Amino acid sequence: GFQIVDKLWKQSEANPTDELHWGELFEPSDFFISYPHYLSLCIVGPTQSDAQAWAGFVESRLRKLVSDMLGRSLPLSKIQLWPKKFEFFIADKAALVTAAQRRNCITYFVGFQVDLLRMRGKQLNIELQMHNFRDWELSRFQPLVPGMDVLAKCFKVKELPKVVFEGIYDGGKLVAMKKRRHIRDADPKRQERKRLAKLQVLKAKMAEIQRKKEESNKDKSSEESGDKKRKIEETDGESERDAKLIKTETDATAQGDVKDEPAENQDEEEQEEADLLANAIDVIQSEELTREEAEAERAKLLEGGFQAEDEDYVYEGDDDADYIGRDAARVGTMNEPTPATENKTTADKRSLPLEKEEAEILRKVGYTVVSDDDVAVLGSNVILPWRKPSSNDGNSKSGDANQMKNIRIKFRTKFDIVELDTNGNVIDKGDDDFMPSLKWTGRRGGFEFKLGERGVGYYRTGKKVVVPSNTAY
């Protein structure tokens, strides 16, 4: 209304002769389509007389509920009370009320808009504010008869009952929702958001088209390079065929040399066998054997007897044939006499299987290898670091090694420890500027007792109230 009157006044100041249109001022209000959320306050009483007295008292206190308790303590950007009452019972279906209370009741509506920048979480809880409103304001009514109460319920704009639109819009709720949609679409902020969203979609489509063009260009370039590679391969194939023809001609001329190769391989094998026999004769002579024993050892060598003496060696397939270290060690040690003082418990390298050799190498490096036959428990002879005696204390006894050191855990981040009430809300414990107290407990220097943004209690005089960040609404 103020905006309409202000506009008409400016129009009359600019052109005093123009006719003013006052009909816009008397048009129905758009209260029930201007807010996304609404709160219904149903005032009920046991009898008609009690309900009239009770409703008059509650109406005089609605200003404190809307402007002080709800408007200041909740993250709301706008809140408004509709001054007209509805003589209908509009409350939660699960409310425990009698038939007399349903008859003797009136309902008021409050529209509000949530400030998303200040909102914490996704739910807005008004139970604390309604509880304080009953205890601090409504409890002053005398006599307070059982059955007098105020029932609150939240609605979205689309969930409002049809009765609130009757008498305001000719078509009722359907026409009101169409008008709301028209007003919402005409909002310049909403149009700007739509334009930016559409622009983002177009940019994404252009980026996708550009990416597809680049991929197609890459495919074309790869096809062209593939054609060039095929041409180069064809020329290389022709040169390879010419080289094969030349090679076959040279191989045909050198067939005589190839036939002589088997004879050369036979001569090399015979030479190796002769060296082995000479090596065996030297071993026999070094051990001063008799002629008969030497002949017997030579017969064993020819029959493979020396290889049979290594009973621990087991042939495991073609893999052992490639293992040169075992055979080389066997042949190279035939000329060396075995020392008499050798420890018999130490396993000979020639007689160890491949797995034991690897275990022995790991032990030499420093690793601990435990077989299935070992019964020792790993780590039983190791003293844990915190059980070792302190190196700085020269007088430490052996018994101090069993004493554990005091360990302290320090957190880099400080955590606030809060206490929750039965409804799950954080309880404000107070600080240097605020001391919570439900009732007056006496005068305190530098503080004043009042109901503020942090509830009822003693607030420091002359200092701005700051709500802690760990305190929920």
Side-chain angles (χ1 to χ4, degrees), residues 167-358:
I168 300 177
Y169 301 98
D170 295 336
K173 185 175 181 180
L174 182 61
V175 176
M177 291 296 106
K178 288 182 180 180
K179 186 176 181 180
R180 178 180 179 274
R181 194 177 301 112
H182 177 71
I183 296 173
R184 184 189 60 182
D185 295 340
D187 186 8
K189 294 182 179 180
R190 182 179 176 84
Q191 291 177 357
E192 183 66 16
R193 289 196 298 269
K194 279 187 175 182
R195 188 186 66 80
L196 293 176
K198 189 175 182 180
L199 183 61
Q200 292 293 334
V201 173
L202 292 175
K203 285 183 179 180
K205 289 183 180 179
M206 291 297 295
E208 184 68 20
I209 293 171
Q210 190 69 20
R211 186 182 62 81
K212 289 182 179 179
K213 285 184 179 180
E214 292 177 357
E215 290 180 355
S216 63
N217 293 333
K218 288 181 181 179
D219 294 339
K220 289 180 181 179
S221 61
S222 61
E223 289 177 359
E224 292 177 358
S225 61
D227 295 338
K228 292 180 181 180
K229 287 181 180 179
R230 282 195 293 271
K231 291 180 181 180
I232 294 171
E233 289 176 357
E234 289 177 359
T235 56
D236 293 342
E238 292 178 357
S239 60
E240 288 178 358
R241 286 195 294 272
D242 296 338
K244 287 181 180 179
L245 291 174
I246 295 170
K247 186 176 181 180
T248 52
E249 291 178 358
T250 55
D251 291 342
T253 55
Q255 285 180 357
D257 298 335
V258 175
K259 291 179 181 179
D260 296 335
E261 289 179 1
E264 294 177 359
N265 293 334
Q266 291 177 1
D267 294 337
E268 291 177 358
E269 293 176 359
E270 291 176 358
Q271 184 65 27
E272 290 177 358
E273 291 178 359
D275 293 338
L276 289 174
L277 290 174
N279 193 4
I281 292 172
D282 293 338
V283 173
I284 293 171
Q285 290 177 358
S286 63
E287 293 179 358
E288 299 179 357
L289 300 176
T290 61
R291 193 173 194 78
E292 291 78 11
E293 291 177 350
E295 291 293 334
E297 295 291 338
R298 183 177 181 182
K300 287 183 179 180
L301 177 64
L302 296 176
E303 296 175 0
F306 280 102
Q307 185 174 0
E309 289 179 358
D310 295 333
E311 296 178 357
D312 294 339
Y313 174 73
V314 180
Y315 181 75
E316 296 181 355
D318 295 337
D319 294 339
D320 286 347
D322 298 332
Y323 185 70
I324 302 174
R326 188 189 301 276
D327 297 335
R330 184 185 297 112
V331 175
T333 55
M334 286 182 179
N335 297 329
E336 299 177 4
T338 303
T341 60
E342 185 178 2
N343 188 6
K344 294 183 181 181
T345 59
T346 303
D348 189 3
K349 183 178 181 181
R350 297 175 300 171
S351 63
L352 289 174
L354 186 60
E355 296 179 355
K356 294 184 178 180
E357 287 182 1
E358 293 178 355

Side-chain angles (χ1 to χ4, degrees), residues 11 48 54 71 80 95-96 104 133 142 183 237 265 352 389 401 460:
Q11 184 180 353
Q48 186 176 2
W54 171 246
Q80 181 183 357
L96 300 176
N104 304 313
F133 179 65
Q142 295 296 334
I183 296 173
N265 293 334
L352 289 174
R460 187 173 293 277

Side-chain angles (χ1 to χ4, degrees), residues 89-106:
F89 180 79
I90 303 174
D92 194 358
K93 294 181 180 179
L96 300 176
V97 293
T98 61
Q101 289 176 328
R102 290 179 181 272
R103 290 192 304 267
N104 304 313
C105 65
I106 58 174

Side-chain angles (χ1 to χ4, degrees), residues 107-133:
T107 303
Y108 285 89
F109 279 90
V110 179
F112 61 92
Q113 187 173 0
V114 180
D115 188 359
L116 298 179
L117 298 178
R118 296 167 52 199
M119 183 68 178
R120 298 179 182 178
K122 296 182 180 180
Q123 293 183 355
L124 193 67
N125 190 2
I126 64 170
E127 292 183 0
L128 178 61
Q129 286 73 17
M130 293 300 301
H131 179 73
N132 295 337
F133 179 65

Side-chain angles (χ1 to χ4, degrees), residues 63-74:
R63 176 182 57 84
K64 292 188 176 181
L65 172 65
V66 175
S67 60
D68 295 342
M69 296 185 180
L70 297 179
R72 294 184 180 181
S73 61
L74 295 179

